[in-house]
Amino acid sequence: MQAPINPSISVDIVVFGFDGTRLKVLLIERQKLNEKATTEYKLPGSMISEKEDLDTSAHNTLQNLTGLKNIYLEQLYVFSNPNRISSDEDKQWIEHTYGISTNRIVTVSYFSLVKINLSILKTTIQGMAFWCDVQELKHVSFDHKEIILKGLERLKSRMQTTPVAFELLPKKFTIKQLQNLYEAILGIDIDNRNFRKKILKYPYLIQLNEREAKVSHKPAIFYQFDIHAYRQEQRKLKKLKIF
Amino acid sequence: MQAPINPSISVDIVVFGFDGTRLKVLLIERQKLNEKATTEYKLPGSMISEKEDLDTSAHNTLQNLTGLKNIYLEQLYVFSNPNRISSDEDKQWIEHTYGISTNRIVTVSYFSLVKINLSILKTTIQGMAFWCDVQELKHVSFDHKEIILKGLERLKSRMQTTPVAFELLPKKFTIKQLQNLYEAILGIDIDNRNFRKKILKYPYLIQLNEREAKVSHKPAIFYQFDIHAYRQEQRKLKKLKIF
DNA sequence: CCAAAAGTGTTCAGGATACACCCATGA
DNA sequence: TCATGGGTGTATCCTGAACACTTTTGG
């Protein structure tokens, strides 16, 4: 852990969460360098150590921030514009934080999905982090807004081809919650009957013996996602698509 | 162009081509450090300059190698294992080639598709490059075999969702050539009638007034891919998929 | 006229879409 | 008993899969 820092490479993570209605991204409050500056926010991340794999660096950052170990994480994209760190504030903040004066950092961004629950809320608030509505990004430093938009694209595409939606929902969820998630992120309306038909066909969605409580309408049934059943299913079906 | 080299970051490119029957990848002969060593091969690529965007670096490498400017290129994956350059030969080769002695290089790999034709064959042969059958990789240095496999996965997936196949075929091609390409890369058999039906429905495949010449069977008609018609089509159709 | 590969149509099953009402609960 | 959101079925269309013979050319 005491290996020197590599002054050229950083890791930044786009962590998405869903509060039931809106898509959120986790931002860190960037320490002000002087009192009168407005508060700026950045993605969680850090420079990497010379002995460290990038995936490991991303995992560690996430674990420190959320207290969680097994979080969905994948490489997103490399941002390498030689001028991506251009403002004086940015340079000063880097020098102040890492003790290096460089004007060229290549960042490898990661894409992560977590369930927003009480436990994670407690930990993230302690870490000067906050869940920002993806539609209302402002005061985001560096090129981190661009990175978040890249992450959003990835999320939209992944949601349609793999079951990552369940990373954003509680373990037990209703079909309506799942539909709301798809509608919110993809920005579309989905017919409820057709959605249920499609979803409930899948053998890896398990109906539980539990319902919503204390709601003043017909209580919804909870379901659970069975990843093993999903993987087994995948091994069989591989149908050809030609764009 | 005289900016210093960044000693931590390299770019490596997986360039795929199709010879009509087999999928090929472009490898560079790595200069031997002593006479009795066996010849080793590596991916085209280089360390990056401090003033250079990674995409630019990849483009330049490709242009030097193929003489071509507008080549299909996208980021593939970052390989960052701290021990990915472990053998003494690897380290010596790097020191000899770039004049830097480092034991940690992070490489950003790229994925590229080209049409193998006479012009490109001439240029690549001059550059100590050769087109290696993807099924018969051997004497590949560093972790470049792993990178190639990652590229192959990307190719399979891209071919099924976007029209990258046409990057690998000549401008004028027959439907059978297209089918052969899909069969070779995906490793499957495709029903010829269903394939034609599917493909020829697309308004962006344009039938030409030309046929094969001098073949001792019914000559096939040539087609061309119209990227503008494709893009126009895409703007309309965006249908929901749920994995 | 023969060999070799190109090109062609139909049937059937399963998936996607459109659409409107009844059900269970708490207040 | 009413307001609220959960849950259900059918008809139609479209797409994907299976399958065998005729056509055109050069030799």
Side-chain angles (χ1 to χ4, degrees), chain A residues 73-114:
Chain A
L73 189 68
E74 60 168 283
Q75 264 192 32
L76 179 58
Y77 200 74
V78 180
F79 293 82
S80 63
N81 186 324
N83 305 315
R84 58 180 287 275
I85 296 167
S86 46
S87 82
D88 288 340
E89 290 94 314
D90 290 352
K91 287 180 186 168
Q92 281 166 30
W93 182 85
I94 289 166
E95 185 156 2
H96 178 260
T97 306
Y98 295 105
I100 54 177
S101 79
T102 170
N103 39 27
R104 207 296 166 78
I105 297 178
V106 170
T107 195
V108 180
S109 61
Y110 278 77
F111 167 73
S112 175
L113 303 174
V114 304

Side-chain angles (χ1 to χ4, degrees), chain A residues 8-9 106, chain B residues 6-11 46-48 54 105-108:
Chain A
S8 306
I9 305 174
V106 170
Chain B
N6 181 308
S8 307
I9 305 174
S10 70
V11 158
S46 77
M47 305 298 294
I48 66 162
L54 297 187
I105 297 178
V106 170
T107 194
V108 179

Side-chain angles (χ1 to χ4, degrees), chain B residues 82-162:
Chain B
N83 305 314
R84 58 179 288 274
I85 296 166
S86 46
S87 82
D88 287 341
E89 290 94 315
D90 289 352
K91 287 179 186 170
Q92 279 166 31
W93 181 84
I94 288 167
E95 185 156 2
H96 178 260
T97 307
Y98 293 106
I100 55 177
S101 79
T102 171
N103 39 27
R104 207 298 166 79
I105 297 178
V106 170
T107 194
V108 179
S109 61
Y110 278 77
F111 166 74
S112 176
L113 302 175
V114 304
K115 306 176 199 301
I116 300 183
N117 51 31
L118 285 179
S119 138
I120 209 172
L121 275 176
K122 237 191 325 188
T123 327
T124 49
I125 286 166
Q126 282 170 354
M128 307 265 285
F130 93 109
W131 290 96
C132 179
D133 199 301
V134 168
Q135 307 300 329
E136 295 168 8
L137 302 173
K138 47 193 168 191
H139 303 299
V140 177
S141 312
F142 309 112
D143 52 359
H144 287 189
K145 189 166 180 175
E146 190 187 345
I147 301 178
I148 294 168
L149 293 179
K150 191 88 183 176
L152 190 52
E153 286 313 302
R154 178 71 58 93
L155 176 56
K156 286 181 181 177
S157 134
R158 281 284 179 275
M159 276 186 72
Q160 303 198 40
T161 50
T162 67

Side-chain angles (χ1 to χ4, degrees), chain A residues 9 13 18 78 86 99-100 139 142 170 180 208 213 224 229:
Chain A
I9 305 174
I13 316 175
F18 186 63
V78 180
S86 46
I100 54 177
H139 301 299
F142 309 113
N180 286 342
L208 301 179
Q224 212 170 353

